[in-house]
């Protein structure tokens, strides 16, 4: 079998056993194809490359001016690929094992204050008619439950038709988790449902999505929601560059920690498999708390 055959088998495993999303599979495919092309220029491929060739590829990623995040993802793809190959018994060694990944700082997530989130929700709701009710509903849901944009736009109507106190969300890898709904989010959903039929594609009364649209997918796209959110941010006097659907998820996590929530609880609410992913929010919350102490504590004022 060639390296190309091994890549195909690896991607099939990712799709079948790990239920990886299409975008994830596409990214892994591109990363491994990049490694394969580099190695081909040196007369080898992924199936017979030695540690020296893999080390040269990893070094070349930085030399090519690639962003640290992209280079790290490509290194990770190669490492995971060889772990799979080793497990299948196709090679007796892992040529990527001896190569140390460079340490890189992880950027802190952008965070909005509670007042800024309130201002965006108010600006969204101030839009005319049904458009405003829909956008306010989406922002309320994203902030109240920490939903990913893909989870938000893929919500079926059935899960909210009976005014539930929480949602059962299917996240990455098909894993389900509970996402709470506060009173404000439930009220926003109720108001939006009264005008939802105005967004239905013509002749599609049975559309199953909570946020239907006339797009090919039959529901509002993540890209369109991001555009509408930018407009609401601008209306609220907030730089749209600081705002995105994922920033609302960051705000959800950070504000929970600032309010005293347990890190493990926040991990479950976000659907993170590894608590290390959640821990980055402790740094953001910590900075905010230090600012409060520095500006509000009586000794600090002296």
């Amino acid at each position: 079998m060639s390296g190309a055959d091994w890549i195909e088998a690896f991607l099939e495993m990712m799709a079948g056993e790990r239920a990886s999303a299409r975008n994830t599979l596409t990214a892994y495919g591109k990363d491994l194809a990049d490694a394969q092309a580099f190695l081909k220029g040196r007369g080898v491929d992924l199936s017979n490359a030695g540690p020296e060739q893999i080390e040269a590829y990893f070094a070349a990623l930085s030399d090519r001016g690639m962003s640290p995040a992209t280079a790290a993802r490509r290194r990770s793809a190669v490492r995971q690929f060889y772990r799979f190959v080793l497990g299948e018994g196709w090679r007796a060694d892992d040529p990527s094992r001896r190569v140390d990944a460079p340490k890189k700082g992880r950027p802190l997530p952008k965070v909005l204050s509670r007042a800024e989130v309130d201002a965006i929700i108010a600006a969204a709701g101030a839009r005319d008619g049904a458009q405003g009710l829909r956008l306010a509903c989406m922002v309320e849901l994203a902030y109240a439950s920490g939903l990913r944009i893909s989870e938000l736009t893929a919500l079926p109507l059935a899960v909210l038709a009976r005014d539930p106190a929480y949602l059962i969300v299917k996240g990455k890898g098909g894993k389900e988790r509970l996402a709470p709904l506060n009173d404000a989010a439930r009220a926003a959903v109720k108001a939006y449902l009264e005008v939802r039929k105005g967004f239905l594609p013509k002749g599609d009364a049975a559309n199953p999505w909570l946020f239907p649209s006339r797009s090919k997918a039959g529901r509002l796209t993540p890209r369109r929601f991001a555009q509408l959110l930018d407009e609401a941010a601008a209306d609220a006097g907030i730089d749209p560059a600081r705002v995105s659907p994922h920033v609302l998820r960051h705000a959800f996590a950070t504000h929970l920690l600032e309010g005293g929530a347990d890190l493990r609880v926040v991990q479950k609410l976000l659907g993170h498999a590894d608590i290390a992913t959640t821990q980055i929010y402790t740094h953001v919350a910590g900075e905010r708390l230090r600012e409060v102490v520095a500006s509000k504590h009586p000794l600090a004022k002296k």
Side-chain angles (χ1 to χ4, degrees):
M1 294 175 68
S2 67
D5 294 327
W6 288 4
I7 291 174
E8 184 178 354
F10 172 73
L11 295 177
E12 288 177 356
M13 179 277 295
M14 293 286 292
E17 297 181 16
R18 300 187 187 177
S20 296
R22 181 179 299 176
N23 287 347
T24 301
L25 295 174
T26 299
Y28 273 107
K30 288 181 178 178
D31 292 341
L32 293 173
D34 182 74
Q36 182 82 320
F38 176 88
L39 295 171
K40 186 177 180 181
R42 295 178 172 241
V44 295
D45 71 5
L46 287 166
S47 66
N48 58 9
E52 295 79 10
Q53 285 90 18
I54 299 301
E55 188 170 5
Y57 172 65
F58 283 1
L61 292 175
S62 300
D63 295 340
R64 286 156 60 182
M66 196 170 292
S67 73
T70 301
R73 192 194 70 214
R74 291 197 169 174
R75 292 186 188 95
S76 176
V78 171
R79 291 176 190 278
Q80 291 189 58
F81 169 79
Y82 277 120
R83 281 198 292 270
F84 166 73
V85 167
L86 201 63
E88 293 294 314
W90 295 338
R91 281 188 64 144
D93 66 318
D94 177 356
S96 70
R97 179 174 291 178
R98 84 174 199 183
V99 186
D100 293 328
K103 295 180 180 180
K104 67 183 185 71
R106 188 173 183 179
L108 294 178
K110 298 177 183 178
V111 177
L112 298 170
S113 70
R114 300 181 194 189
E116 287 173 327
V117 174
D118 289 341
I120 291 173
I121 293 173
R127 298 199 148 213
D128 291 338
Q131 292 283 345
L133 291 173
R134 180 180 67 176
L135 184 55
C137 175
M138 297 188 79
V139 177
E140 287 274 18
L141 281 175
Y143 178 58
S145 303
L147 298 176
R148 298 179 177 94
I149 186 171
S150 58
E151 297 167 347
L152 177 67
T153 55
L155 284 174
L157 173 64
V159 303
L160 281 154
R162 297 185 179 182
D163 189 26
Y166 59 85
L167 303 174
I168 298 178
V169 180
K170 183 172 289 188
K172 288 186 176 180
K175 294 181 180 178
E176 292 185 342
R177 71 180 191 279
L178 293 180
L181 291 178
N182 58 29
D183 291 342
R186 292 167 69 183
V189 170
K190 186 176 180 180
Y192 160 70
L193 288 178
E194 294 180 1
V195 300
R196 175 183 173 273
K197 62 182 179 182
F199 296 102
L200 289 170
K202 190 174 182 180
D204 190 16
N207 186 291
W209 306 113
L210 178 62
F211 300 109
S213 81
R214 295 177 178 84
S215 69
K216 186 176 181 181
R219 56 187 168 94
L220 196 73
T221 64
R223 180 181 178 83
R224 181 55 181 153
F225 173 51
Q227 292 171 341
L228 293 172
L229 186 60
D230 282 350
E231 293 173 8
D235 291 343
I238 299 170
D239 183 359
R242 296 182 54 228
V243 181
S244 73
H246 208 63
V247 167
L248 291 177
R249 181 169 155 90
H250 292 326
F252 164 82
T254 305
H255 296 168
L256 279 177
L257 289 170
E258 287 178 348
D262 181 85
L263 188 65
R264 288 286 183 184
V265 173
V266 176
Q267 177 194 2
K268 289 184 179 296
L269 291 173
L270 290 172
H272 287 162
D274 188 346
I275 198 169
T277 308
T278 318
Q279 283 175 330
I280 191 169
Y281 294 107
T282 63
H283 301 300
V284 178
E287 287 296 327
R288 297 285 292 279
L289 292 173
R290 277 192 287 274
E291 290 175 10
V292 170
V293 172
S295 61
K296 304 298 183 182
H297 194 281
L299 293 180
K301 290 182 178 180
K302 291 180 181 180

